[in-house]
């Protein structure tokens, strides 16, 4: 029994395929989902969504909020992720993000809520790319 996973944004389908496990960061904490999981709906936070494809392969997608929906029908467990925005970890350009960081940090320091959210997105992307992140 495997999971069927699909991750979409308003712009495009990001990833879909079978998986053995999914770990997502919800607004109330992390959740792990295996085959046979009970149906649920999770409000996603900014952060990584880890998809264990098989024993050797993990796919990481950084999502900027949205929802994760789990349905189960007999032997089939399906996970649909509707993300506001998202990017595959291997598509992240750390250099481009580093160039934007000083401006984002200044704007976030002024108390602008939107700037704080954009800074959190940039930090999540850098962390997924294996880059050191300043707080």
């Amino acid at each position: 029994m495997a999971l069927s996973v699909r991750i979409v944004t308003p712009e495009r389908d990001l990833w879909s395929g079978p998986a053995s496990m999914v770990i997502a960061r919800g607004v109330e904490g992390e959740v792990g989902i295996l085959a046979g999981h009970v149906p649920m709906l999770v409000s996603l936070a900014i952060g990584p969504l880890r998809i264990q494809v098989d024993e050797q392969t993990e796919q990481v997608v950084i999502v900027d909020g949205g929802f994760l929906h789990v349905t189960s029908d007999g032997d089939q467990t399906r996970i649909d992720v509707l993300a506001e925005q998202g990017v595959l970890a291997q598509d992240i350009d750390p250099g481009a993000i580093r160039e934007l960081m000083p401006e984002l940090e200044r704007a976030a320091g002024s108390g602008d809520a939107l700037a704080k959210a954009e800074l959190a997105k940039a930090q999540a992307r850098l962390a997924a790319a294996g880059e050191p992140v300043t707080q």
Side-chain angles (χ1 to χ4, degrees):
M1 187 164 36
L3 300 170
S4 174
V5 181
R6 182 169 181 218
I7 304 168
V8 299
T9 69
E11 293 85 30
R12 66 185 181 119
D13 285 354
L14 280 176
W15 191 88
S16 64
S20 60
M21 179 172 58
V22 172
I23 300 171
R25 182 175 296 160
V27 295
E28 296 182 9
E30 286 193 334
V31 61
I33 301 158
L34 297 168
H37 198 286
V38 297
M40 66 186 289
L41 182 65
V42 176
S43 181
L44 295 172
I46 295 168
L49 184 106
R50 300 186 180 287
I51 304 160
Q52 193 67 43
V53 177
D54 56 38
E55 289 183 17
Q56 292 86 23
T57 310
E58 180 180 70
Q59 180 69 52
V60 178
V61 180
I62 304 303
V63 296
D64 298 344
F67 295 94
L68 179 144
H69 184 232
V70 179
T71 55
S72 207
D73 181 22
D75 289 346
Q76 182 68 20
T77 301
R78 181 177 166 146
I79 299 173
D80 292 298
V81 176
L82 308 168
E84 293 173 18
Q85 293 179 355
V87 63
L88 299 172
Q90 68 259 23
D91 295 340
I92 294 170
D93 179 358
I97 296 171
R98 286 268 178 231
E99 286 181 27
L100 294 173
M101 288 299 284
E103 182 180 333
L104 291 172
E105 289 168 344
R106 266 192 309 279
S110 72
D112 181 349
L114 182 57
K116 286 181 181 181
E118 290 301 316
L119 179 60
K121 292 175 189 180
Q123 290 171 331
R125 283 166 171 70
L126 285 175
E131 296 283 319
V133 178
T134 59
Q135 297 294 329

